[in-house]
Amino acid sequence: MSAVEYAVENEVAVLTVAYPPVNALSLAVRTGLAEGLARALADSGVKAVVVIGGGSTFIAGADISEFGTPNSAAEPRLQTLQAQFEASPKPIVAAIHGTALGGGLELALTAHARVAVASAKVGLPEVKLGLLPGAGGTIRLPRLTGVEVALEAVTTGRHLGAVEAERLGVIDAIVDDLRAGSVAYALKLATDGAPAPVRDRNDKVSGVDPKVFDDFRAKNRKKWRGQIAPARIVDVIEAATNRSFDEAKAYENQAFGELMASDQRKALIHYFFAEREARKIPDVPAEVKPLPVRKVVVIGSGLMGGGIAMSFANAGIAVKLLDVNAEALERGMAAVRKTYETSLSRGSISQAQMDERLGRIQPIGGYDDLGDVDMAIEAVFEDMALKQEIFALLDKATPPHAILGTNTSSLDIDQIASATSRPDKVIGAHFFSPANVMKLLEAVRGSQTSAETIATVMALGKQIGKAPVLAGNCDGFIGNRMLQYYTVNAEYMLERGATPEQIDRVAEAFGMAMGPLAMRDLAGMAQAVNVRAVRKKTLPVDERMPELVERMVEAGRIGQRSGSGFYRYEGRDRLPDPEAIAIITAEAQRQGIEQRTFTDEEILARLFHPLVNEGAKELEEGIAIRASDIDVAWVNGYGFPIHTGGPMFWGEQIGLDKVLETARVLGAENGQTRWGPSKLLERLVAEGKGWKDAPALIAQGL
Ligand code: CAA
């Protein structure tokens, strides 16, 4: 069966792309469209053509899984098809529902008009794959929207809703009945005459002041740190304003080729598939259907509980926010309202959206009214006895089918589940702060959590716009377990003579939003001291906890809010502080540690290699299912730069042997028990293998 169906309706040929799941422009689709167009042009009974998507969407772009295969370069290539569209003597209308993304929108931009339903979205998201739109998108989009809109839309890769897209000139008409409306539109063009192809509409790209581009580059320099694609996108959009169409196209082709060959493109495409793969759980077959979740209760109205409640409300799910402390509940609701008001004042939501979302959050003061919830998420502070008490109450108050989730970041899921009569329905649902913003949802399976419970939480995570990752039950789960190696190592390096500025500069140049020491200062250190005191008791005998945080707190330097920590602060400006350095040096002397200088390269290795080593240990222990799941967790929960593909992908790119070497050094320095090499890593390096081989090695036994 062809990937494109041909039918004639009212003297209009309707080409329906039927290539699930997203009608990507694979060779089969391109061939089908070229054949369909040729047939329509040859058919004297046809006056115009409509291209429409079968199933849930128009064309979601190039077929990413085809990149690098012979099919991607085989004719008809997308650009050949586009030339045929633009040369067509019969008008072509792109009929858009679902999404028209990347090459899908670029193809639509070569049609004579674009008609959409109001729920459709269009966009050029290639930047998220480390690419730029390589089929004329950078040249045609600004011809419709003007340069400034195109710069913003293409460098962010944002999806534009159809209503906005119509206002911006990308969509020509919005209709209710897509097929009938598009056929009628096409016939009208056949009768009245079609407009000039987009490529020939030059008014919005003529006489553009080059300063627009320089200003845009300057404004975004910091945001794009470390990424190649956004800056190249600005270059090619600029070329669309000062070169002929064909010259600009040649330049776009060249830049696209460069990006296609880049490591960042490989990393970002790895990440794209990783996020989708993470939702597939090997022992939860597709036949296990997730339960519908229509109403949720969140217990605890603090920062975390409020953020979780907003995540549901934003996705259209009704939520009760429960707190037995009336004052806390009031404060929690006020904080939620304030967050929405900030979004409103920034223009990111409308008043109607704010009212609707707030209206979905019902504050409640007790457990009497939970008979209608499908899921509960407990988000109170980390105290096992309290959590068990709450789970016992929830077990009684919620219907038997309801899933009971805990937002704990470290406590044992099984112990929490033991307070209920339904341990199969208990699961960790670990959100990251601020929960309404951060994308990671770490689902944590206990020993009795059922497949249905897991399937439900993974599906729910996607539904509320999160990136769900399934973790096993251990201290710190996937993410926090690795985090300590990063933060503690920064302190070890300070003791040995590196400065806070140097460490943070290296981390930030790598792409972290904020270096580990600036982060400590921002988070505040007073509370960290208590957490560390507990952790210290559980450390293996061969390991020493650095005590710089303790020394800072003793000196009254508890972080940014107090005006000083590892840095001193003037307003928000962080400044190097000789006093902090003196405290660090004194502590190094007290510990008998000799100080030395570090190269940036060594700092980078010591900050990030241990993450990869610990990730490998999580794979060994079955805490993480796949290396790529760890990447998804770290990109979304900890701001690991997405253009590296995540720590595990990055580790493999730079060489697992290098990671192993660092683990050997740090094992010797900091204690073998926790810092020494992972057995899996040793085996992979010894056998010249990579993460894809890990499951087989683990199954054999390390
Ligand atoms: N190519 C190949 N497979 C794709 C794909 C694409 N462009 N887009 C989605 N898929 C696959 C996914 O891998 C997933 O497969 P599995 O079910 O096997 O995991 C399936 O389609 C469904 O995808 P989602 O789970 O993401 O479904 P969704 O409904 O949540 O989202 C979507 C749909 C918005 C289209 C989203 O998939 C998406 O954003 N896709 C990428 C779009 C994109 O980046 N297009 C540009 C491609 S590059 C390009 O076009 C270059 C050029 O200039 C020629």
Side-chain angles (χ1 to χ4, degrees):
M1 213 178 82
S2 167
V4 177
E5 291 155 15
Y6 185 90
V8 178
E9 197 171 306
N10 240 353
E11 296 183 297
V12 175
V14 180
L15 311 187
T16 306
V17 185
Y19 195 75
V22 295
N23 296 326
L25 283 165
S26 60
L27 178 58
V29 170
R30 301 191 312 266
T31 307
L33 284 169
E35 286 172 0
L37 179 61
R39 189 168 160 189
L41 294 184
D43 187 340
S44 59
V46 163
K47 289 189 179 155
V49 182
V50 163
V51 178
I52 193 167
S56 60
T57 186
F58 187 69
I59 298 169
D63 186 343
I64 304 169
S65 60
E66 210 176 58
F67 285 174
T69 70
N71 276 2
S72 73
E75 289 289 357
R77 296 174 61 224
L78 177 54
Q79 301 196 22
T80 309
L81 195 58
Q82 288 177 302
Q84 291 167 357
F85 270 42
E86 279 177 334
S88 168
K90 299 182 184 179
I92 304 176
V93 168
I96 302 171
H97 74 303
T99 51
L101 299 175
L105 177 59
E106 290 177 298
L107 182 66
L109 292 177
T110 56
H112 299 89
R114 287 145 297 282
V115 171
V117 287
S119 59
K121 292 191 172 125
V122 302
L124 296 174
E126 285 84 345
V127 68
K128 294 184 183 161
L129 304 174
L131 287 170
L132 53 80
T138 62
I139 316 167
R140 290 191 184 88
L141 190 72
R143 285 177 153 72
L144 292 178
T145 63
V147 160
E148 287 177 43
V149 169
L151 282 172
E152 187 273 334
V154 188
T155 55
T156 59
R158 175 169 84 83
H159 296 182
L160 313 177
V163 176
E164 183 185 4
E166 186 192 27
R167 180 166 51 75
L168 296 174
V170 185
I171 300 282
D172 298 286
I174 293 187
V175 295
D176 291 331
D177 182 335
L178 186 62
R179 194 179 168 107
S182 303
V183 166
Y185 201 96
L187 268 181
K188 194 164 169 351
L189 291 187
T191 314
D192 298 352
V198 175
R199 60 173 284 158
D200 296 334
R201 302 184 207 168
N202 293 329
D203 55 314
K204 292 202 170 135
V205 291
S206 309
V208 179
D209 184 350
K211 194 169 168 310
V212 171
F213 301 98
D214 292 337
D215 289 352
F216 193 74
R217 286 183 185 101
K219 192 173 100 189
N220 289 290
R221 190 157 290 134
K222 189 158 173 227
K223 189 169 135 200
W224 297 338
R225 201 170 36 200
Q227 300 173 57
I228 324 170
R232 294 301 276 148
I233 287 170
V234 180
D235 296 344
V236 291
I237 294 182
E238 182 167 21
T241 66
N242 59 25
R243 302 188 192 190
S244 70
F245 185 92
D246 289 338
E247 283 167 352
K249 186 70 203 79
Y251 186 51
E252 188 196 68
N253 284 351
Q254 178 204 327
F256 182 80
E258 280 165 24
L259 293 178
M260 193 55 130
S262 71
D263 287 343
Q264 289 191 5
R265 192 276 299 170
K266 287 183 200 118
L268 286 160
I269 287 187
H270 155 78
Y271 179 79
F272 177 85
F273 286 115
E275 194 177 303
R276 283 147 185 88
E277 185 76 7
R279 299 198 293 259
K280 297 174 190 148
I281 311 302
D283 63 341
V284 179
E287 302 83 78
V288 179
K289 291 288 165 246
L291 292 173
V293 176
R294 296 184 198 91
K295 198 171 263 186
V296 175
V297 58
V298 176
I299 298 95
S301 62
L303 189 64
M304 206 64 209
I308 297 172
M310 290 169 76
S311 299
F312 287 106
N314 297 351
I317 298 176
V319 52
K320 298 181 180 191
L321 186 59
L322 186 159
D323 206 309
V324 288
N325 177 333
E327 257 174 57
L329 186 58
E330 208 168 297
R331 267 201 312 275
M333 282 304 292
V336 165
R337 174 178 289 278
K338 191 155 173 243
T339 308
Y340 281 133
E341 277 166 355
T342 307
S343 305
L344 178 67
S345 68
R346 288 199 187 130
S348 50
I349 57 171
S350 65
Q351 180 71 49
Q353 277 172 319
M354 169 169 155
D355 295 345
E356 207 173 53
R357 292 174 187 195
L358 264 176
R360 290 194 190 108
I361 307 179
Q362 180 195 352
I364 57 171
Y367 292 78
D368 308 331
D369 186 22
L370 300 184
D372 58 350
V373 301
D374 304 304
M375 181 166 185
I377 297 180
E378 160 277 310
V380 303
F381 56 87
E382 298 285 60
D383 175 331
M384 180 56 83
L386 176 64
K387 292 200 189 244
Q388 286 187 323
E389 192 185 310
I390 289 173
F391 271 73
L393 286 168
L394 287 172
D395 196 28
K396 292 205 182 70
T398 60
H401 76 271
I403 290 175
L404 308 181
T406 168
N407 181 53
T408 182
S409 58
S410 60
L411 298 177
D412 180 3
I413 306 296
D414 289 333
Q415 223 180 320
I416 297 174
S418 70
T420 74
S421 62
R422 53 178 114 169
D424 57 315
K425 293 201 168 281
V426 175
I427 189 164
H430 183 206
F431 290 79
F432 287 70
S433 189
N436 52 314
V437 176
M438 297 293 281
K439 257 188 85 180
L440 178 60
L441 171 59
E442 204 176 21
V444 188
R445 72 193 294 172
S447 58
Q448 298 187 60
T449 309
S450 72
E452 187 185 63
T453 302
I454 294 172
T456 303
V457 171
M458 299 307 279
L460 183 65
K462 179 172 189 248
Q463 197 189 337
I464 63 173
K466 304 290 178 200
V469 173
L470 186 67
N473 187 14
C474 73
D475 184 13
F477 314 132
I478 291 179
N480 282 353
R481 171 169 159 168
M482 288 160 66
L483 180 66
Q484 359 161 356
Y485 293 86
Y486 171 68
T487 50
V488 170
N489 229 347
E491 282 182 63
Y492 280 140
M493 284 193 277
L494 289 177
E495 287 182 337
R496 288 173 186 275
T499 62
E501 306 86 88
Q502 191 187 7
I503 295 172
D504 286 342
R505 178 173 50 72
V506 171
E508 288 163 14
F510 181 69
M512 301 298 286
M514 195 180 262
L517 299 157
M519 195 69 193
R520 266 260 188 259
D521 276 359
L522 182 69
M525 290 191 262
Q527 240 204 329
V529 170
N530 303 331
V531 177
R532 287 155 68 103
V534 176
R535 184 160 291 284
K536 207 169 167 180
K537 292 190 194 133
T538 65
L539 283 186
V541 285
D542 64 350
E543 188 170 336
R544 173 187 66 87
M545 171 90 88
E547 291 181 17
L548 289 176
V549 168
E550 286 73 5
R551 294 299 90 82
M552 290 294 159
V553 172
E554 282 159 18
R557 308 177 65 98
I558 59 171
Q560 188 171 336
R561 243 171 274 162
S562 73
S564 67
F566 286 109
Y567 296 90
R568 82 186 164 82
Y569 293 86
E570 280 177 16
R572 282 181 165 199
D573 292 340
R574 73 179 198 232
L575 302 164
D577 189 351
E579 273 180 39
I581 304 287
I583 294 172
I584 295 166
T585 311
E587 175 64 8
Q589 276 166 1
R590 194 178 77 84
Q591 299 284 355
I593 296 166
E594 204 174 313
Q595 292 201 311
R596 62 178 175 93
T597 54
F598 281 80
T599 63
D600 288 0
E601 201 185 354
E602 191 180 2
I603 289 179
L604 189 73
R606 284 177 175 240
L607 282 177
F608 297 113
H609 291 185
L611 292 177
V612 185
N613 186 46
E614 191 60 19
K617 291 184 185 176
E618 292 181 356
L619 291 174
E620 274 169 48
E621 294 169 30
I623 295 301
I625 299 170
R626 292 159 283 241
S628 58
D629 289 5
I630 298 174
D631 291 333
V632 176
W634 264 75
V635 163
N636 294 296
Y638 303 86
F640 200 88
I642 190 169
H643 59 265
T644 65
M648 304 302 270
F649 184 82
W650 173 78
E652 195 162 26
Q653 293 299 108
I654 58 159
L656 294 180
D657 55 331
K658 296 207 175 74
V659 175
L660 178 62
E661 204 178 292
T662 308
R664 290 199 172 121
V665 173
L666 294 182
E669 275 180 18
N670 305 340
Q672 291 294 348
T673 314
R674 293 196 330 137
W675 293 85
S678 129
K679 287 201 194 68
L680 172 63
L681 190 61
E682 283 177 325
R683 277 288 295 278
L684 291 175
V685 172
E687 296 178 24
K689 292 181 169 163
W691 300 128
K692 69 174 180 350
D693 307 303
L697 287 184
I698 294 165
Q700 279 165 25
L702 295 163

